[in-house]
Amino acid sequence: MKLKGASKIESKSFGTAILYGLIFIFLFAIVSSLIFALILRFTSVREVSLQYVITAVSFIGLFGGGFLSGGKRKQKGWLIGGLTGLIYSLIVFLSQYLGYDRLFDVEQVIYHVCYTLIAMMGGILGVNIATSNSRTA
């Protein structure tokens, strides 16, 4: 027997966890973009030489967002992390499509699939670390 209010609490927690993850991802992206912009502006480093570093930082940000989402939700880490990555990709896709009238190319699709998988892994790890800490405390 399920209570009517239990599903509302579960969905609220689900949405809140995803929101925390997305806020982390976008704040991380803003801060890292500012740092890279300052590096590009005030040094002789070229954008091409930072391409792999920027990709790695993006993966770290998505992993962190999935980790935070999974830690907040404390269950179904693969799902909460995957949804966090998918919603991030949807927001980027909509801003690119509506703002620049461009669809994702094949390279971007591959990146965003990897982003979703990385966020999923972060969600799994976040759930496992959050639940192991609550067991010992």
Side-chain angles (χ1 to χ4, degrees), residues 26 62 85-116:
F26 283 108
L62 267 291
L86 280 174
I87 292 172
Y88 167 78
S89 293
L90 179 68
I91 291 169
V92 170
F93 173 77
L94 287 175
S95 66
Q96 181 174 324
Y97 179 69
L98 297 173
Y100 299 103
D101 200 23
R102 292 187 53 221
L103 296 174
F104 278 172
D105 59 10
V106 176
E107 184 182 6
Q108 286 176 308
V109 169
I110 293 169
Y111 274 119
H112 283 276
V113 167
C114 291
Y115 288 158
T116 302

Side-chain angles (χ1 to χ4, degrees), residues 5-116:
S7 66
K8 287 184 181 179
I9 292 170
E10 183 176 325
S11 66
K12 181 179 179 188
S13 170
F14 211 75
T16 303
I18 291 174
L19 186 63
Y20 273 98
L22 289 172
I23 289 171
F24 174 83
I25 291 169
F26 283 108
L27 286 177
F28 191 84
I30 289 169
V31 170
S32 61
S33 294
L34 177 65
I35 291 169
F36 285 126
L38 290 172
I39 289 171
L40 289 170
R41 173 67 178 101
F42 294 112
T43 65
S44 61
V45 175
R46 297 185 48 175
E47 188 175 355
V48 176
S49 61
L50 287 178
Q51 178 181 0
Y52 296 115
V53 175
I54 292 171
T55 301
V57 168
S58 299
F59 283 138
I60 292 168
L62 267 291
F63 183 84
F67 185 86
L68 185 63
S69 294
K72 286 284 182 195
R73 180 77 171 116
K74 294 188 175 108
Q75 59 183 345
K76 297 181 183 174
W78 65 273
L79 182 62
I80 195 81
L83 283 174
T84 302
L86 280 174
I87 292 172
Y88 167 78
S89 293
L90 179 68
I91 291 169
V92 170
F93 173 77
L94 287 175
S95 66
Q96 181 174 324
Y97 179 69
L98 297 173
Y100 299 103
D101 200 23
R102 292 187 53 221
L103 296 174
F104 278 172
D105 59 10
V106 176
E107 184 182 6
Q108 286 176 308
V109 169
I110 293 169
Y111 274 119
H112 283 276
V113 167
C114 291
Y115 288 158
T116 302

